[in-house]
Amino acid sequence: MRKGCGRNKKMTNLSVNVNKVAWLRNAREGTTPDLIDLSSKIILAGAAGITVHPRPDLRHIRPADVKDLRLLTKDLSVELNVEGNPLSGKSDSYPGFMELLRETLPDQCTFVPDAEHQLTSDHGWNLLNKNSNLKECIDEASQLGIRVSLFVDPDKKHLESAKELGASRVELYTGPYADNFSNKDSVGKILNSYITASDYCRSINLGVNAGHDLNLKNLILFLQSVEVDEVSIGQALIADSLIYGLEDTVSRYLNICK
């Protein structure tokens, strides 16, 4: 692994993904746990933002949740990041992703290339193909005053394309790093690809977020090595809160981000 430890000079922002809170609530079709109450506790514990990924099948976050969270994050002066496929259209219960952005005007949107019923995000955009529809969505969101981040793999050609398409940031898909974290023979090489990607983004004035399967064990090395503006963490943080409690868990992640 290239020498990267200690390279961060500023704190990395923590945005907590609350999808799993909504998923647990929806399992009993009630109001417990209370998404807004727990999101408030997360913010008051020090998180810099809240992330949601409303899907057309409404498996967790619903359009009404996004609107409620927009009011909450404005009131508490933190950022709301709304993830999703900008090409997801309207249905009887879903307004379409771009319409949801128009209605809520989050601080940041992260465009991901998920299929409608995909279990979770597992790859970045292929930005080497013609992406005129994606470009239109980036332009519209930017005109609405929303910072646009593209979910990408740590590949220079895709980073170049993200900049050309008009994105302000990228979110580096960290699944491969997390999957290989316990493999000492491969994790260094994989981590170097993220170091290289982050350095290149800085050289072209492209912000860097990161997310997917980051947790209390693997986040330390990643942030010691890779310069990142923001990490988005959901399932691991919510799972850890069952052990440590919600506020304590947020503090543990914040201590790493510092």
Side-chain angles (χ1 to χ4, degrees):
M1 186 182 71
R2 274 177 29 199
K3 292 182 179 180
C5 295
R7 72 205 324 259
N8 278 345
K9 299 301 182 183
K10 64 178 182 178
M11 178 175 174
T12 298
N13 285 332
L14 171 66
S15 184
V16 178
N17 188 315
V18 294
N19 284 355
K20 284 300 183 290
V21 176
W23 175 82
L24 183 59
R25 174 201 62 188
N26 295 352
R28 293 290 293 269
E29 299 182 354
T31 58
T32 303
D34 188 308
L35 178 69
I36 301 304
D37 179 57
L38 290 184
S39 296
S40 298
K41 292 181 184 301
I42 289 168
I43 295 167
L44 294 176
I50 297 292
T51 290
V52 291
H53 189 148
R55 295 177 181 270
D57 60 12
L58 308 185
R59 72 182 78 162
H60 35 61
I61 293 295
R62 299 165 177 165
D65 295 329
V66 182
K67 296 175 184 178
D68 290 341
L69 286 167
R70 173 72 290 197
L71 294 175
L72 175 70
T73 53
K74 277 188 174 181
D75 185 50
L76 296 181
S77 301
V78 298
E79 290 197 348
L80 177 65
N81 172 42
V82 180
E83 300 179 341
N85 191 325
L87 306 181
S88 295
K90 181 179 179 180
S91 66
D92 291 340
S93 56
Y94 186 74
F97 187 79
M98 291 303 296
E99 179 58 28
L100 193 55
L101 293 186
R102 298 181 195 110
E103 293 176 1
T104 59
L105 299 176
D107 302 279
Q108 177 175 264
C109 62
T110 302
F111 290 163
V112 296
D114 287 357
E116 184 170 337
H117 298 292
Q118 190 169 325
L119 180 61
T120 186
S121 305
D122 60 11
H123 63 280
W125 287 97
N126 180 358
L127 299 179
L128 305 184
N129 295 331
K130 184 178 180 181
N131 285 286
S132 57
N133 290 335
L134 180 59
K135 170 66 173 172
E136 291 177 3
C137 294
I138 293 171
D139 288 345
E140 180 181 354
S142 298
Q143 290 167 7
L144 289 170
I146 304 169
R147 182 197 310 127
V148 179
S149 177
L150 294 183
F151 195 67
V152 297
D153 300 306
D155 179 277
K156 182 179 178 180
K157 291 182 179 179
H158 292 295
L159 302 175
E160 289 175 341
S161 295
K163 180 68 174 180
E164 292 170 359
L165 287 169
S168 298
R169 291 188 185 182
V170 293
E171 179 174 331
L172 300 176
Y173 168 54
T174 52
Y177 164 74
D179 290 342
N180 289 275
F181 180 69
S182 60
N183 187 337
K184 294 181 180 180
D185 293 332
S186 59
V187 68
K189 180 178 180 180
I190 292 172
L191 189 56
N192 278 338
S193 69
Y194 291 94
I195 297 171
T196 300
S198 176
D199 288 348
Y200 180 69
C201 287
R202 302 300 172 192
S203 74
I204 60 173
N205 197 30
L206 191 62
V208 181
N209 298 340
H212 207 277
D213 289 338
L214 295 173
N215 57 42
L216 287 173
K217 293 182 179 179
N218 61 36
L219 182 61
I220 298 172
L221 176 62
F222 190 83
L223 291 187
Q224 284 177 336
S225 306
V226 185
E227 187 177 354
V228 177
D229 294 304
E230 174 184 291
V231 287
S232 174
I233 302 177
Q235 179 161 322
L237 189 149
I238 300 303
D240 288 332
S241 71
L242 298 176
I243 303 171
Y244 306 115
L246 187 59
E247 289 91 344
D248 187 18
T249 298
V250 173
S251 294
R252 288 170 184 257
Y253 278 92
L254 286 172
N255 286 336
I256 296 173
C257 290
K258 293 176 183 177

